[in-house]
Amino acid sequence: MATVTFYGAVQEVTGSCHLVHSDALGEVLLDCGMHQGMRAKHFISREQFAFNPCSIDMVILSHVHLDHCGRLPSLLHEGFAGPIYCTEATAQLLPIMLFDALSLYENDLRRENRKRARKGLPDIEAHYSKEDVLNVLDCLKPLAYKQRVAIGEGAYVCFHDAGHILGSAITELTVTENGKQKKLVFSGDLGNTDTLLMNDPVCLEEADMVLMEGTYGDREHKSLGDTQTQLKDILHEAFVRGGNVMIPAFAVGRTQELLLYLGKLQQAGDLDNWQVFLDSPMAIEVTSVYDQWLPTLDCEGVKKLCTGEQTLLKNFLSTLHLMVDAEDSMAINKISSGALIIAGSGMCTGGRITHHFKHRIWDSRNTIIFVGYQANGTLGRILVDGAQHVKLFGDDIIVKANIETLNGFSAHAGQAALVDWASHFKTDPKVVLVHGEPDALMGLADKLEQLHGIKAEIPILGDTLEF
């Protein structure tokens, strides 16, 4: 019997983790992500695995965003020792992501333990270490897209381009049960078809069960043209006000798309005189990996813009400044106007963007532009929801900066694209909706049934379904 048990990203957007059981294959974990917005002390003391990591035979990883991969070091720390299958680009990006996350984790842990020491409390022990990250990297089994590989007797895995970020994959898992082949398709995160950089998600036709994301299942994005116009107008108004712009952006995906959009505006003479600061060592390193893969990405969007020796980091955006050291980042604070700052984290749960907020969020001349999904409980979501005061580094700070949201830059498919992707399956599979808040998943389920007669299921944490 083949089953799936849901341990994360069910009726919520983060923490992707689904356990596939097959008598022929054993225990297979699809993703091992963390819940974004949680601080280190909560992650350590409260979030334990609801299964035995030693019993997991292998992991299949959809992509490198931390809500899909962030708990892999903890999985190995707790005893997992099997292979981790992923795409080639994901294998290149994963060390950048995991070592950056480790640094933030250790800083948070030190800070928390200093507070505990002052109260006479014992230290919280680290839940994973650099050695665990290195062990994760040793377990990686990189595969090319469309490369069908045997992972057990009568069992195969094959990755297809999900179009979400570099290396993101739709997973096609085939197992043999009682002489009969069964196929599970896990969408991972499906990309927005209206982008400059990424290819469109691949559509598949055969499955017995489809695990499908529904982050934006109840809404549509603005068109790329409308979004670029909106960005141009917001930037121009901010420039006229004499302010600065802060854009929280994920190091993988959003940052690279933004550089393309800003370069396109500059080439059209629509960027005013903004000085663009990419204030993220991780994003700079990630973008260099993207540059290696540019020939494989969206030909219409990228090749028309990046020609010859041009790359996203070289000669494409003439006013781009790469801020690697902390001193470089702090120097931006001296600029009174005309600075466009791209920094992490994308949901404002830490990183350099929070320092820029502290210096600028109280000034009405300044603008914050959100270009990606903001999960419940994150500082980004609190600001998008209209907070007038926020807590930053222990201080209560008034919010007077202009808050703008551009969901047309989302890396996730909107409702129509999700419905279209699901409609391509010809084998009448069981469709299960994950990775979305309840309203989004119910909206998607209603639309799937209304347009295509697909009766989708929405599991809760700990549910087990057979396929």
Side-chain angles (χ1 to χ4, degrees):
M1 182 174 70
T3 62
V4 184
T5 304
F6 302 92
Y7 289 112
V10 283
Q11 301 193 40
E12 61 179 340
V13 169
T14 63
S16 180
C17 188
H18 315 295
L19 181 58
V20 178
H21 170 81
S22 161
D23 292 337
L25 192 55
E27 307 284 332
V28 181
L29 203 60
L30 301 177
D31 286 349
C32 191
M34 65 190 299
H35 289 85
Q36 289 180 301
M38 299 179 68
R39 301 308 296 168
K41 60 182 179 181
H42 300 303
F43 173 62
I44 294 165
S45 61
R46 296 182 188 176
E47 190 175 37
Q48 304 298 319
F49 289 109
F51 50 84
N52 181 4
C54 296
S55 71
I56 305 299
D57 295 292
M58 67 188 72
V59 175
I60 299 175
L61 180 61
S62 66
H63 64 285
V64 299
H65 278 154
L66 290 177
D67 62 324
H68 293 258
C69 74
R71 299 188 72 198
L72 284 173
S74 294
L75 190 75
L76 271 77
H77 188 85
E78 296 296 323
F80 170 76
I84 301 172
Y85 293 94
C86 63
T87 65
E88 295 168 311
T90 291
Q92 278 186 265
L93 292 169
L94 197 60
I96 302 172
M97 297 295 289
L98 293 184
F99 279 119
D100 183 80
L102 174 65
S103 175
L104 294 174
Y105 170 80
E106 290 178 335
N107 287 339
D108 278 349
L109 185 59
R110 281 192 292 268
R111 189 179 301 115
E112 179 64 20
N113 281 335
R114 283 197 297 268
K115 292 179 182 178
R116 292 175 65 88
R118 289 194 291 268
K119 298 176 182 178
L121 298 173
D123 282 354
I124 299 172
E125 293 185 8
H127 207 192
Y128 73 97
S129 65
K130 178 180 179 181
E131 182 180 0
D132 297 312
V133 174
L134 292 171
N135 288 338
V136 168
L137 304 181
D138 286 341
C139 290
L140 295 183
K141 303 291 183 184
L143 304 178
Y145 286 131
K146 299 182 180 180
Q147 181 183 356
R148 191 170 186 257
V149 172
I151 55 175
E153 188 173 346
Y156 302 88
V157 66
C158 184
F159 291 127
H160 304 273
D161 194 345
H164 174 59
I165 62 169
L166 181 65
S168 61
I170 299 163
T171 299
E172 188 178 21
L173 179 63
T174 305
V175 298
T176 301
E177 293 283 317
N178 299 319
K180 181 181 178 182
Q181 278 200 343
K182 295 184 177 181
K183 186 174 292 186
L184 180 146
V185 170
F186 173 43
S187 72
D189 286 355
L190 294 171
N192 186 352
T193 56
D194 199 8
T195 68
L196 286 175
L197 186 57
M198 301 308 300
N199 297 308
D200 290 349
V202 171
C203 292
L204 302 179
E205 296 183 349
E206 295 182 0
D208 295 284
M209 176 183 280
V210 177
L211 304 186
M212 177 182 171
E213 73 116 324
T215 311
Y216 286 95
D218 59 346
R219 73 199 89 163
E220 295 295 352
H221 304 308
K222 286 188 176 181
S223 71
L224 178 59
D226 288 345
T227 303
Q228 289 178 323
T229 299
Q230 188 181 2
L231 175 62
K232 178 185 72 173
D233 292 344
I234 291 170
L235 292 177
H236 181 65
E237 290 168 7
F239 195 82
V240 170
R241 277 197 305 272
N244 301 277
V245 168
M246 295 163 282
I247 306 180
F250 291 113
V252 185
R254 292 305 80 214
T255 291
Q256 293 73 38
E257 292 275 358
L258 273 170
L259 292 177
L260 271 178
Y261 297 133
L262 292 171
K264 189 175 182 181
L265 287 176
Q266 186 183 71
Q267 290 175 20
D270 292 329
L271 194 58
D272 292 311
N273 195 30
W274 287 105
Q275 297 299 304
V276 181
F277 297 91
L278 180 52
D279 189 21
S280 168
M282 180 169 65
I284 293 167
E285 192 173 359
V286 166
T287 306
S288 70
V289 176
Y290 265 75
D291 284 340
Q292 298 172 34
W293 290 87
L294 278 182
T296 71
L297 300 178
D298 181 75
C299 57
E300 292 182 11
V302 176
K303 291 181 182 176
K304 286 181 180 178
L305 295 171
C306 297
T307 57
E309 295 300 312
Q310 274 190 346
T311 65
L312 296 175
L313 288 180
K314 183 180 178 184
N315 303 325
F316 178 66
L317 182 58
S318 65
T319 57
L320 177 63
H321 306 275
L322 306 179
M323 316 306 280
V324 177
D325 297 330
E327 292 78 10
D328 296 334
S329 179
M330 289 186 285
I332 303 173
N333 297 331
K334 301 175 183 177
I335 301 173
S336 60
S337 65
L340 193 163
I341 306 160
I342 303 170
S345 69
M347 295 186 189
C348 313
T349 55
R352 292 184 178 180
I353 195 66
T354 55
H355 292 274
H356 293 298
F357 282 179
K358 180 180 179 181
H359 286 276
R360 303 186 189 273
I361 202 170
W362 44 265
D363 190 335
S364 61
R365 296 175 304 159
N366 296 329
T367 300
I368 300 171
I369 305 176
F370 289 98
V371 294
Y373 189 86
Q374 303 299 310
N376 275 327
T378 62
L379 175 58
R381 182 63 165 266
I382 291 169
L383 289 168
V384 167
D385 287 344
Q388 296 184 359
H389 292 81
V390 294
K391 204 85 168 176
L392 288 169
F393 304 100
D395 296 327
D396 186 64
I397 299 178
I398 192 169
V399 178
K400 287 191 175 180
N402 301 273
I403 308 296
E404 303 282 355
T405 301
L406 297 179
N407 67 21
F409 285 150
S410 174
H412 289 267
Q415 185 188 71
L418 290 169
V419 170
D420 178 72
W421 185 82
S423 72
H424 282 77
F425 289 95
K426 298 179 178 179
T427 52
D428 193 27
K430 180 183 292 186
V431 175
V432 182
L433 303 182
V434 296
H435 205 282
E437 293 177 6
D439 288 347
L441 298 184
M442 288 187 286
L444 179 57
D446 289 345
K447 191 63 70 171
L448 286 168
E449 184 169 10
Q450 175 188 335
L451 295 181
H452 299 288
I454 298 172
K455 295 184 183 296
E457 298 186 41
I458 302 175
I460 62 173
L461 198 66
D463 271 358
T464 298
L465 299 178
E466 184 179 347
F467 72 96

